[in-house]
Amino acid sequence: MDNMRLEDLIEAGKLTARIKKDAEKLAIVGERIFDIAETIEMTIEKEGAMPAFPANVSVNELAAHYTPCNDDLSEIPEDAIVKLDFGLIKGQAITDTSITVDLSGKHDNIMSASKEALENAIKTIKPGIPVDDVSKVIFETIKKHGCKPISNLMGHKIEWMNLHAGVEVPNIPAHEMYEFQVGDVFAIEPFVTTKEGAGYIKETDHVEIYSLFLPGNIRLRQSRKMLEYIIEHYKTMPFCERWLFKEFKSKLMLNSGLKEMLKARVLMAYPVLAEAKGEPIAQFEETIVVTEDGCIPITKG
Ligand code: MN
Ligand code: MN
């Protein structure tokens, strides 16, 4: 269980599933993306948990890592395909989940492909099964729908306070021979685009999400204060400018602090990721726990 507790995982999973169901209703035309992210995170906190990372609200060709900044005025556009991706920390457990909402009704193929690929992956995972078998199942399911998997985004092992714990589950076969073991916790997330898509994502130059990376020297006094705050509140988990703004209140100070810490490689940045040809992306994600005879998708509800 990698320092997580099964009872806590089950409980955190149930809470995550409940919040996900409510979050789905937030993805409507004209809704502020800021409000959606804040509502998800506030609900998590109201339930006595903590966000495991800033809630991602990624629209259309954006695959992941879009979280609003403190003064983000953008709204959900008409006919959008919206990915809500969030996770929480409760007790000794971390979850990671996502749902896609198709407001146009025109993306049935990528929606079904991602959903079914996830379902088939969950049916396949059990102790002794190599990760590559799961990649094959995901790939074949997506292909059957005439869609493309995103080749450079992957599912991942989750350990306590480590959301991306080394082992990855690619959405195309990649000879990953790690065998699932009882107690392993993984996030499975088939990202799917259309057959016209490039089938991979590119980093954009927009960054909102960061995490601690390496220890290093920070010169500016105000940046040091910020770093202390990050270490105390987020440890190794991702955070965003919007969260820091609630504490430090100055955009100018935040920007110079983040810039200095990035330059010193004290922080790592997670740029917003977009489909390389601008095609829409669907993504459904569940956190699973490997059991004696299969796995439990704890965040499914
Ligand atoms: Mn996720
Ligand atoms: Mn994930």
Side-chain angles (χ1 to χ4, degrees):
M1 222 74 63
D2 298 302
N3 293 319
M4 292 195 278
R5 292 180 44 205
L6 184 60
E7 310 89 89
D8 290 3
L9 282 160
I10 299 288
E11 205 195 324
K14 276 187 190 156
L15 177 60
T16 307
R18 198 147 39 88
I19 295 171
K20 181 166 54 176
K21 226 175 144 201
D22 288 341
E24 199 178 349
K25 296 174 203 145
L26 300 171
I28 51 177
V29 178
E31 187 73 77
R32 285 258 174 93
I33 290 178
F34 178 91
D35 291 340
I36 298 175
E38 292 265 307
T39 303
I40 292 172
E41 292 164 5
M42 271 162 44
T43 313
I44 291 171
E45 282 167 20
K46 240 193 307 187
E47 296 284 348
M50 294 245 301
F53 52 88
N56 289 205
V57 184
S58 306
V59 168
N60 297 339
E61 77 280 12
L62 300 186
H65 299 171
Y66 189 96
T67 201
C69 61
N70 70 294
D71 53 0
D72 193 317
L73 294 177
S74 61
E75 296 173 352
I76 299 292
E78 237 170 273
D79 281 349
I81 179 165
V82 185
K83 281 126 282 174
L84 303 175
D85 191 330
F86 68 95
L88 56 83
I89 305 174
K90 188 166 169 59
Q92 196 83 0
I94 300 179
T95 62
D96 182 4
T97 196
S98 82
I99 192 169
T100 303
V101 181
D102 174 19
L103 297 175
S104 73
K106 289 175 193 155
H107 299 298
D108 276 355
N109 53 347
I110 58 173
M111 293 284 286
S112 320
S114 176
K115 243 185 257 181
E116 245 176 68
L118 177 57
E119 277 165 25
N120 291 342
I122 290 167
K123 282 182 205 155
T124 307
I125 296 171
K126 61 179 178 187
I129 290 286
V131 164
D132 199 46
D133 285 13
V134 177
S135 296
K136 281 178 191 151
V137 164
I138 291 173
F139 180 66
E140 291 304 327
T141 309
I142 295 170
K143 233 175 48 182
K144 200 187 76 197
H145 283 270
C147 303
K148 274 186 187 169
I150 297 294
S151 60
N152 53 350
L153 286 176
M154 292 161 211
H156 48 97
K157 196 169 191 287
I158 301 176
E159 292 174 2
W160 179 236
M161 294 311 272
N162 189 1
L163 197 57
H164 286 249
V167 185
E168 292 178 321
V169 184
N171 297 316
I172 55 166
H175 307 290
E176 174 53 67
M177 294 320 281
Y178 176 85
E179 292 178 2
F180 290 100
Q181 293 174 32
V182 176
D184 279 353
V185 180
F186 274 82
I188 307 296
E189 44 185 322
F191 283 86
V192 179
T193 189
T194 64
K195 64 177 190 303
E196 288 80 23
Y200 58 90
I201 48 91
K202 272 187 177 164
E203 292 184 349
T204 68
D205 50 20
H206 184 165
V207 179
E208 295 290 342
I209 302 178
Y210 306 87
S211 72
L212 275 179
F213 187 48
L214 292 171
N217 281 327
I218 295 302
R219 190 179 51 85
L220 294 171
R221 200 180 67 90
Q222 58 206 42
S223 309
R224 279 206 305 272
K225 255 178 78 181
M226 215 180 293
L227 181 57
E228 279 164 24
Y229 184 87
I230 291 165
I231 292 168
E232 191 190 332
H233 287 82
Y234 312 127
K235 301 185 178 68
T236 51
M237 301 302 283
F239 59 90
C240 59
E241 190 244 45
R242 175 168 50 86
W243 289 0
L244 292 177
F245 186 81
K246 290 178 206 290
E247 175 73 16
F248 294 98
K249 308 275 196 290
S250 156
K251 196 110 175 159
L252 202 69
M253 174 182 159
L254 274 180
N255 286 343
S256 63
L258 289 169
K259 210 167 146 190
E260 189 185 1
M261 287 186 275
L262 271 179
K263 210 173 156 203
R265 307 224 306 151
V266 168
L267 294 186
M268 172 170 157
Y270 300 87
V272 175
L273 306 173
E275 211 289 324
K277 280 191 179 166
E279 282 293 301
I281 292 182
Q283 171 222 16
F284 288 84
E285 176 179 26
E286 306 288 2
T287 301
I288 62 105
V289 181
V290 182
T291 57
E292 295 286 345
D293 54 359
C295 76
I296 314 171
I298 56 168
T299 48
K300 203 168 173 205

